[in-house]
PDB file of all heavy atoms in Angstrom:
ATOM      1  N   GLY A  28      12.688   9.602  -1.715  1.00 97.00           N
ATOM      2  CA  GLY A  28      11.897   9.600  -0.498  1.00 97.00           C
ATOM      3  C   GLY A  28      10.612  10.378  -0.522  1.00 97.00           C
ATOM      4  O   GLY A  28      10.043  10.667   0.533  1.00 97.00           O
ATOM      5  N   ARG A  29      10.098  10.716  -1.717  1.00 97.00           N
ATOM      6  CA  ARG A  29       8.829  11.454  -1.776  1.00 97.00           C
ATOM      7  C   ARG A  29       8.069  11.049  -3.032  1.00 97.00           C
ATOM      8  O   ARG A  29       8.660  10.594  -4.011  1.00 97.00           O
ATOM      9  CB  ARG A  29       9.064  12.961  -1.756  1.00 97.00           C
ATOM     10  CG  ARG A  29       9.982  13.469  -2.847  1.00 97.00           C
ATOM     11  CD  ARG A  29      10.375  14.918  -2.617  1.00 97.00           C
ATOM     12  NE  ARG A  29      11.244  15.396  -3.674  1.00 97.00           N
ATOM     13  CZ  ARG A  29      11.016  16.479  -4.414  1.00 97.00           C
ATOM     14  NH1 ARG A  29       9.930  17.206  -4.210  1.00 97.00           N
ATOM     15  NH2 ARG A  29      11.882  16.861  -5.336  1.00 97.00           N
ATOM     16  N   PRO A  30       6.748  11.205  -3.006  1.00 98.00           N
ATOM     17  CA  PRO A  30       5.940  10.779  -4.147  1.00 98.00           C
ATOM     18  C   PRO A  30       6.145  11.674  -5.370  1.00 98.00           C
ATOM     19  O   PRO A  30       6.617  12.813  -5.276  1.00 98.00           O
ATOM     20  CB  PRO A  30       4.497  10.900  -3.631  1.00 98.00           C
ATOM     21  CG  PRO A  30       4.611  10.967  -2.137  1.00 98.00           C
ATOM     22  CD  PRO A  30       5.918  11.641  -1.872  1.00 98.00           C
ATOM     23  N   ALA A  31       5.759  11.143  -6.522  1.00 98.00           N
ATOM     24  CA  ALA A  31       5.770  11.920  -7.766  1.00 98.00           C
ATOM     25  C   ALA A  31       4.712  11.367  -8.708  1.00 98.00           C
ATOM     26  O   ALA A  31       4.538  10.145  -8.822  1.00 98.00           O
ATOM     27  CB  ALA A  31       7.141  11.874  -8.439  1.00 98.00           C
ATOM     28  N   ILE A  32       4.004  12.278  -9.376  1.00 98.00           N
ATOM     29  CA  ILE A  32       3.072  11.894 -10.439  1.00 98.00           C
ATOM     30  C   ILE A  32       3.847  11.815 -11.748  1.00 98.00           C
ATOM     31  O   ILE A  32       4.599  12.728 -12.092  1.00 98.00           O
ATOM     32  CB  ILE A  32       1.939  12.932 -10.574  1.00 98.00           C
ATOM     33  CG1 ILE A  32       1.086  12.973  -9.305  1.00 98.00           C
ATOM     34  CG2 ILE A  32       1.069  12.622 -11.794  1.00 98.00           C
ATOM     35  CD1 ILE A  32       0.079  14.118  -9.295  1.00 98.00           C
ATOM     36  N   LEU A  33       3.670  10.721 -12.454  1.00 98.00           N
ATOM     37  CA  LEU A  33       4.286  10.525 -13.774  1.00 98.00           C
ATOM     38  C   LEU A  33       3.182  10.779 -14.802  1.00 98.00           C
ATOM     39  O   LEU A  33       2.417   9.891 -15.161  1.00 98.00           O
ATOM     40  CB  LEU A  33       4.850   9.107 -13.882  1.00 98.00           C
ATOM     41  CG  LEU A  33       5.745   8.680 -12.699  1.00 98.00           C
ATOM     42  CD1 LEU A  33       6.079   7.194 -12.790  1.00 98.00           C
ATOM     43  CD2 LEU A  33       7.012   9.525 -12.652  1.00 98.00           C
ATOM     44  N   ARG A  34       3.098  12.023 -15.225  1.00 98.00           N
ATOM     45  CA  ARG A  34       1.958  12.459 -16.034  1.00 98.00           C
ATOM     46  C   ARG A  34       1.967  11.764 -17.404  1.00 98.00           C
ATOM     47  O   ARG A  34       2.928  11.834 -18.161  1.00 98.00           O
ATOM     48  CB  ARG A  34       2.006  13.968 -16.223  1.00 98.00           C
ATOM     49  CG  ARG A  34       0.792  14.531 -16.937  1.00 98.00           C
ATOM     50  CD  ARG A  34      -0.430  14.501 -16.022  1.00 98.00           C
ATOM     51  NE  ARG A  34      -0.391  15.590 -15.031  1.00 98.00           N
ATOM     52  CZ  ARG A  34      -1.064  15.558 -13.887  1.00 98.00           C
ATOM     53  NH1 ARG A  34      -1.788  14.503 -13.557  1.00 98.00           N
ATOM     54  NH2 ARG A  34      -0.978  16.578 -13.037  1.00 98.00           N
ATOM     55  N   GLY A  35       0.873  11.039 -17.682  1.00 98.00           N
ATOM     56  CA  GLY A  35       0.655  10.463 -18.998  1.00 98.00           C
ATOM     57  C   GLY A  35       1.550   9.298 -19.365  1.00 98.00           C
ATOM     58  O   GLY A  35       1.588   8.897 -20.531  1.00 98.00           O
ATOM     59  N   ILE A  36       2.228   8.689 -18.396  1.00 98.00           N
ATOM     60  CA  ILE A  36       3.183   7.633 -18.719  1.00 98.00           C
ATOM     61  C   ILE A  36       2.490   6.396 -19.297  1.00 98.00           C
ATOM     62  O   ILE A  36       3.110   5.611 -20.024  1.00 98.00           O
ATOM     63  CB  ILE A  36       4.018   7.259 -17.466  1.00 98.00           C
ATOM     64  CG1 ILE A  36       5.230   6.407 -17.854  1.00 98.00           C
ATOM     65  CG2 ILE A  36       3.162   6.561 -16.425  1.00 98.00           C
ATOM     66  CD1 ILE A  36       6.202   6.184 -16.712  1.00 98.00           C
ATOM     67  N   ALA A  37       1.183   6.224 -19.010  1.00 98.00           N
ATOM     68  CA  ALA A  37       0.450   5.056 -19.496  1.00 98.00           C
ATOM     69  C   ALA A  37      -0.624   5.432 -20.507  1.00 98.00           C
ATOM     70  O   ALA A  37      -1.550   4.652 -20.745  1.00 98.00           O
ATOM     71  CB  ALA A  37      -0.175   4.308 -18.317  1.00 98.00           C
ATOM     72  N   ARG A  38      -0.491   6.592 -21.124  1.00 97.00           N
ATOM     73  CA  ARG A  38      -1.570   7.062 -22.002  1.00 97.00           C
ATOM     74  C   ARG A  38      -1.790   6.138 -23.206  1.00 97.00           C
ATOM     75  O   ARG A  38      -2.870   6.137 -23.799  1.00 97.00           O
ATOM     76  CB  ARG A  38      -1.286   8.475 -22.487  1.00 97.00           C
ATOM     77  CG  ARG A  38      -0.021   8.637 -23.312  1.00 97.00           C
ATOM     78  CD  ARG A  38       0.018  10.012 -23.990  1.00 97.00           C
ATOM     79  NE  ARG A  38      -0.062  11.098 -23.027  1.00 97.00           N
ATOM     80  CZ  ARG A  38       0.998  11.702 -22.498  1.00 97.00           C
ATOM     81  NH1 ARG A  38       2.227  11.284 -22.827  1.00 97.00           N
ATOM     82  NH2 ARG A  38       0.856  12.692 -21.659  1.00 97.00           N
ATOM     83  N   ASP A  39      -0.774   5.339 -23.600  1.00 97.00           N
ATOM     84  CA  ASP A  39      -0.907   4.478 -24.770  1.00 97.00           C
ATOM     85  C   ASP A  39      -1.438   3.083 -24.447  1.00 97.00           C
ATOM     86  O   ASP A  39      -1.590   2.258 -25.354  1.00 97.00           O
ATOM     87  CB  ASP A  39       0.451   4.343 -25.480  1.00 97.00           C
ATOM     88  CG  ASP A  39       0.927   5.668 -26.060  1.00 97.00           C
ATOM     89  OD1 ASP A  39       0.071   6.498 -26.417  1.00 97.00           O
ATOM     90  OD2 ASP A  39       2.151   5.865 -26.145  1.00 97.00           O
ATOM     91  N   VAL A  40      -1.732   2.807 -23.180  1.00 98.00           N
ATOM     92  CA  VAL A  40      -2.308   1.510 -22.824  1.00 98.00           C
ATOM     93  C   VAL A  40      -3.724   1.428 -23.398  1.00 98.00           C
ATOM     94  O   VAL A  40      -4.528   2.352 -23.223  1.00 98.00           O
ATOM     95  CB  VAL A  40      -2.323   1.328 -21.293  1.00 98.00           C
ATOM     96  CG1 VAL A  40      -3.105   0.081 -20.900  1.00 98.00           C
ATOM     97  CG2 VAL A  40      -0.897   1.254 -20.759  1.00 98.00           C
ATOM     98  N   PRO A  41      -4.064   0.337 -24.092  1.00 98.00           N
ATOM     99  CA  PRO A  41      -5.396   0.254 -24.727  1.00 98.00           C
ATOM    100  C   PRO A  41      -6.558   0.444 -23.761  1.00 98.00           C
ATOM    101  O   PRO A  41      -7.599   0.985 -24.146  1.00 98.00           O
ATOM    102  CB  PRO A  41      -5.400  -1.151 -25.341  1.00 98.00           C
ATOM    103  CG  PRO A  41      -3.959  -1.466 -25.594  1.00 98.00           C
ATOM    104  CD  PRO A  41      -3.208  -0.807 -24.474  1.00 98.00           C
ATOM    105  N   LEU A  42      -6.406   0.020 -22.506  1.00 98.00           N
ATOM    106  CA  LEU A  42      -7.498   0.188 -21.552  1.00 98.00           C
ATOM    107  C   LEU A  42      -7.786   1.660 -21.295  1.00 98.00           C
ATOM    108  O   LEU A  42      -8.935   2.036 -21.048  1.00 98.00           O
ATOM    109  CB  LEU A  42      -7.171  -0.536 -20.243  1.00 98.00           C
ATOM    110  CG  LEU A  42      -8.224  -0.455 -19.132  1.00 98.00           C
ATOM    111  CD1 LEU A  42      -9.602  -0.896 -19.616  1.00 98.00           C
ATOM    112  CD2 LEU A  42      -7.780  -1.276 -17.918  1.00 98.00           C
ATOM    113  N   VAL A  43      -6.787   2.514 -21.364  1.00 98.00           N
ATOM    114  CA  VAL A  43      -7.008   3.949 -21.202  1.00 98.00           C
ATOM    115  C   VAL A  43      -7.912   4.454 -22.317  1.00 98.00           C
ATOM    116  O   VAL A  43      -8.879   5.191 -22.078  1.00 98.00           O
ATOM    117  CB  VAL A  43      -5.672   4.713 -21.180  1.00 98.00           C
ATOM    118  CG1 VAL A  43      -5.911   6.221 -21.175  1.00 98.00           C
ATOM    119  CG2 VAL A  43      -4.846   4.302 -19.964  1.00 98.00           C
ATOM    120  N   ALA A  44      -7.600   4.067 -23.547  1.00 98.00           N
ATOM    121  CA  ALA A  44      -8.430   4.493 -24.687  1.00 98.00           C
ATOM    122  C   ALA A  44      -9.854   3.981 -24.546  1.00 98.00           C
ATOM    123  O   ALA A  44     -10.830   4.704 -24.815  1.00 98.00           O
ATOM    124  CB  ALA A  44      -7.805   4.001 -25.991  1.00 98.00           C
ATOM    125  N   ALA A  45     -10.002   2.721 -24.100  1.00 98.00           N
ATOM    126  CA  ALA A  45     -11.348   2.166 -23.919  1.00 98.00           C
ATOM    127  C   ALA A  45     -12.102   2.947 -22.851  1.00 98.00           C
ATOM    128  O   ALA A  45     -13.297   3.252 -23.015  1.00 98.00           O
ATOM    129  CB  ALA A  45     -11.255   0.692 -23.548  1.00 98.00           C
ATOM    130  N   GLY A  46     -11.421   3.304 -21.774  1.00 98.00           N
ATOM    131  CA  GLY A  46     -12.079   4.049 -20.715  1.00 98.00           C
ATOM    132  C   GLY A  46     -12.494   5.443 -21.144  1.00 98.00           C
ATOM    133  O   GLY A  46     -13.536   5.949 -20.712  1.00 98.00           O
ATOM    134  N   LEU A  47     -11.698   6.070 -21.998  1.00 98.00           N
ATOM    135  CA  LEU A  47     -12.067   7.398 -22.485  1.00 98.00           C
ATOM    136  C   LEU A  47     -13.293   7.341 -23.392  1.00 98.00           C
ATOM    137  O   LEU A  47     -14.018   8.330 -23.524  1.00 98.00           O
ATOM    138  CB  LEU A  47     -10.881   8.021 -23.221  1.00 98.00           C
ATOM    139  CG  LEU A  47      -9.674   8.372 -22.334  1.00 98.00           C
ATOM    140  CD1 LEU A  47      -8.509   8.879 -23.178  1.00 98.00           C
ATOM    141  CD2 LEU A  47     -10.052   9.408 -21.276  1.00 98.00           C
TER     142      LEU A  47
END
Side-chain angles (χ1 to χ4, degrees):
R29 56 191 181 125
I32 296 172
L33 310 171
R34 186 72 77 202
I36 193 171
R38 62 168 58 93
D39 295 331
V40 172
L42 180 53
V43 173
L47 292 175

